[in-house]
Amino acid sequence: MKKLFLNLCNSLFVLIFLSIIQANADELFNKGKEVFLGAGNCAACHMLSDAGSNAMVGPNLNEIRPDIQRIIMAVRNGIGVMPAMEGILSDDEIEAVAHYTFIAAEQ
């Protein structure tokens, strides 16, 4: 009986832990989408289906599916005609938009 109780407690702990991780991931995803559509002005140049953006000035993010580090580097430093957003967006906003773009492009 004691072993069953401990197994149930462990299972409950794992479920709570996973739900906390999922909630935090969803918050970061939503914050990143806000940055993509708002302060980052990413939707003005990039196609990304999840964001409902159809612009074709910059690369189609659905096609190139960049990894998070590549996104962070491009957003921070700029690339081609894309301006550097470091100093315009906070580090948290840059990380959030990178997280969002990476996940949304994979869908």
Side-chain angles (χ1 to χ4, degrees):
M1 190 67 154
K2 184 177 177 182
K3 188 173 182 178
L4 177 63
F5 177 74
L6 290 174
N7 285 340
L8 287 173
C9 287
N10 284 338
S11 297
L12 182 60
F13 175 76
V14 168
L15 288 174
I16 291 169
F17 180 73
L18 290 174
S19 67
I20 290 170
I21 289 173
Q22 184 63 40
N24 288 340
D26 288 346
E27 283 180 33
L28 189 60
F29 182 87
N30 292 335
K31 180 179 179 180
K33 187 171 185 174
E34 287 177 20
V35 173
F36 190 94
L37 294 169
N41 202 28
C42 311
C45 296
H46 295 284
M47 180 180 283
L48 186 61
S49 296
D50 185 81
S53 59
N54 296 314
M56 295 300 290
V57 176
N60 178 334
L61 299 171
N62 296 307
E63 289 179 1
I64 67 168
R65 296 180 176 175
D67 65 49
I68 290 177
Q69 290 306 313
R70 182 175 172 192
I71 298 165
I72 289 172
M73 188 178 75
V75 173
R76 272 209 176 106
N77 304 315
I79 188 168
V81 297
M82 179 177 162
M85 299 301 283
E86 189 168 43
I88 297 169
L89 298 177
S90 69
D91 286 341
D92 287 344
E93 289 172 318
I94 291 170
E95 289 173 19
V97 78
H99 173 79
Y100 166 71
T101 303
F102 173 73
I103 291 177
E106 292 294 319
Q107 295 177 357

